[in-house]
């Protein structure tokens, strides 16, 4: 990052937005700044000009796209260049590091546990975002435990998802003829567009994605009554129950986030604390062993 004097918080926020949009969407324009910060066109253009003075080698103007594109050697100066910064703006997860952190808002002393961030390519994210917005099929090479060196697929992406501490894209896979989750860090190379999607392969046709499920959680019944009441207060349960509503394909991810293994009970109930009360209703989404 640049070693410069502290900037006003609103200026720093604008520079961070410029970098995030340029790096992860592949284009930033004055109209985007104007909409985000409620400023006029001339002021937004001035902000871009000031940014280019501080980071002269990061952006190049593209007349055909009416905006600034990231240079091949783009080097973030006001952000960390992490995919979480962009995806945070989409409102997918409120617990990630905010791109507006460190703006001097006078909060009390805090500390967060640093967790490893999976490597995600900006070029991969750009192509996925563009394809999902335009309804385009992508040819990708994707690594998995069944094909750790990578395997070719043609997918139609529709939604970016944060679950189990990693980012996925929900997409139709033409090889498996089904909608599936693909982990962003496992794409190899850059996805290549290969034509418009077929009508039945768009996000609106992902019936499982549009199915919402209620997961009923209760304190582990093996705990003494006083400890069950403590757990109920911790999770803000009503009448000893917590109803978690989420999309069907995300049920298993949600349980993992809560530390609940649907196929294994901890020997010590204090280690588990909560359990599933409506297992039968989740049979479509979880394979019970």
């Amino acid at each position: 990052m640049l070693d410069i004097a502290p900037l006003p918080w609103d200026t720093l926020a604008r520079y961070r937005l410029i970098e995030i949009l340029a790096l992860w969407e592949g284009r930033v324009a004055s109209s985007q700044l104007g909409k985000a910060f409620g400023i006029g066109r001339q002021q937004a253009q001035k902000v871009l000009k000031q940014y280019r003075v501080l980071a002269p080698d990061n952006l190049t103007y593209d007349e055909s796209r009416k905006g600034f594109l990231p240079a091949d050697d783009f080097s973030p100066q006001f952000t960390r260049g992490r995919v979480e910064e962009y995806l945070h703006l989409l409102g997918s997860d409120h617990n990630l590091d905010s791109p507006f952190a460190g703006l001097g808002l006078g909060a009390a002393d805090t500390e967060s546990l640093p967790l490893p961030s999976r490597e995600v390519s900006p070029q991969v994210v750009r192509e996925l975002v563009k394809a999902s917005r335009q309804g385009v099929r992508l040819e990708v090479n994707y690594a998995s435990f069944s094909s750790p060196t990578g395997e070719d697929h043609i997918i139609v992406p529709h939604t970016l998802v944060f679950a189990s501490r990693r980012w996925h894209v929900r997409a139709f896979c033409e090889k498996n003829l089904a909608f599936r989750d693909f982990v962003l860090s496992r794409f190899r190379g850059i996805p290549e567009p290969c034509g418009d999607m077929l009508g039945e392969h768009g996000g609106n046709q992902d019936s499982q994605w549009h199915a919402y499920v209620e997961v009923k959680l209760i304190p582990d019944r093996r705990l003494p009554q006083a400890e069950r009441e403590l757990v109920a207060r911790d999770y803000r349960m009503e009448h000893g129950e917590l109803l978690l509503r989420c999309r069907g394909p995300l049920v298993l991810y949600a349980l993992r986030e809560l530390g609940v293994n649907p196929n294994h009970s901890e020997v010590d109930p204090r280690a588990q604390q909560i359990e599933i009360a409506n297992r039968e209703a989740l049979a479509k989404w979880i394979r019970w062993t």
Side-chain angles (χ1 to χ4, degrees):
M1 292 188 178
L2 290 174
D3 185 15
I4 57 177
L7 295 170
W9 75 266
D10 56 339
T11 301
L12 181 57
R14 293 167 184 177
Y15 290 167
R16 286 177 172 174
L17 183 61
I18 289 172
E19 292 195 343
I20 291 168
L21 292 177
L23 182 61
W24 298 103
E25 290 201 347
R27 174 183 175 273
V28 61
S30 58
S31 59
Q32 292 171 299
L33 295 179
K35 184 177 180 180
F37 295 102
I39 58 179
R41 179 182 177 184
Q42 289 187 340
Q43 187 176 357
Q45 290 175 335
K46 182 179 179 181
V47 172
L48 276 164
K49 183 178 180 180
Q50 292 170 334
Y51 172 84
R52 295 184 69 206
V53 170
L54 295 172
D57 300 322
N58 270 0
L59 301 177
T60 58
Y61 187 75
D62 187 298
E63 182 66 33
S64 64
R65 297 186 62 183
K66 303 297 182 183
F68 290 92
L69 311 186
D72 291 338
D73 56 350
F74 183 94
S75 176
Q77 301 300 316
F78 299 95
T79 59
R80 300 176 185 174
R82 291 170 48 182
V83 69
E84 288 88 350
E85 293 170 322
Y86 168 62
L87 295 171
H88 176 85
L89 294 181
L90 305 182
S92 299
D93 182 76
H94 300 292
N95 295 320
L96 296 172
D97 291 339
S98 168
F100 301 106
L103 296 181
L105 301 182
D109 289 343
T110 61
E111 182 62 57
S112 61
L113 179 66
L115 296 174
S117 177
R118 296 181 184 238
E119 184 66 26
V120 178
S121 163
Q123 291 90 343
V124 168
V125 174
R126 291 175 202 162
E127 293 301 327
L128 291 172
V129 170
K130 184 165 62 175
S132 65
R133 289 176 176 173
Q134 299 177 355
V136 174
R137 299 158 66 235
L138 291 177
E139 183 175 348
V140 303
N141 187 270
Y142 183 77
S144 63
F145 283 111
S146 59
S147 301
T149 59
E151 185 178 26
D152 292 334
H153 296 265
I154 293 179
I155 66 172
V156 184
H158 69 74
T159 305
L160 294 171
V161 182
F162 181 78
S164 294
R165 303 304 307 173
R166 60 186 183 181
W167 286 97
H168 308 73
V169 62
R170 180 78 174 173
F172 183 82
C173 176
E174 294 188 4
K175 186 169 187 175
N176 295 288
L177 297 178
F179 286 95
R180 295 196 169 188
D181 294 340
F182 295 86
V183 181
L184 295 191
S185 60
R186 292 181 179 173
F187 286 95
R188 300 294 180 259
I190 301 175
E192 295 184 4
C194 56
D196 294 340
M197 70 174 179
L198 300 176
E200 65 269 22
H201 296 167
N204 290 336
Q205 282 68 47
D206 189 351
S207 59
Q208 290 189 337
W209 181 252
H210 294 287
Y212 282 87
V213 181
E214 275 196 348
V215 182
K216 184 183 296 185
L217 300 168
I218 60 175
D220 193 309
R221 283 167 285 197
R222 296 173 297 170
L223 291 170
Q225 179 63 30
E227 294 183 7
R228 293 202 301 271
E229 292 175 358
L230 176 63
V231 171
R233 286 195 298 270
D234 284 344
Y235 287 91
R236 300 178 64 182
M237 294 182 179
E238 294 185 6
H239 307 295
E241 295 180 350
L242 173 65
L243 293 179
L244 179 66
R245 187 173 184 267
C246 65
R247 297 182 187 271
L250 301 183
V251 168
L252 194 55
Y253 294 131
L255 293 175
R256 288 174 180 171
E257 292 278 6
L258 290 167
V260 178
N261 186 335
N263 292 313
H264 172 73
S265 294
E266 296 287 346
V267 175
D268 182 0
R270 291 183 178 179
Q272 181 168 294
Q273 298 189 9
I274 56 177
E275 62 175 308
I276 304 167
N278 62 335
R279 294 169 64 90
E280 296 79 9
L282 307 180
K284 181 178 179 180
W285 311 105
I286 298 174
R287 291 183 179 178
W288 304 110
T289 57

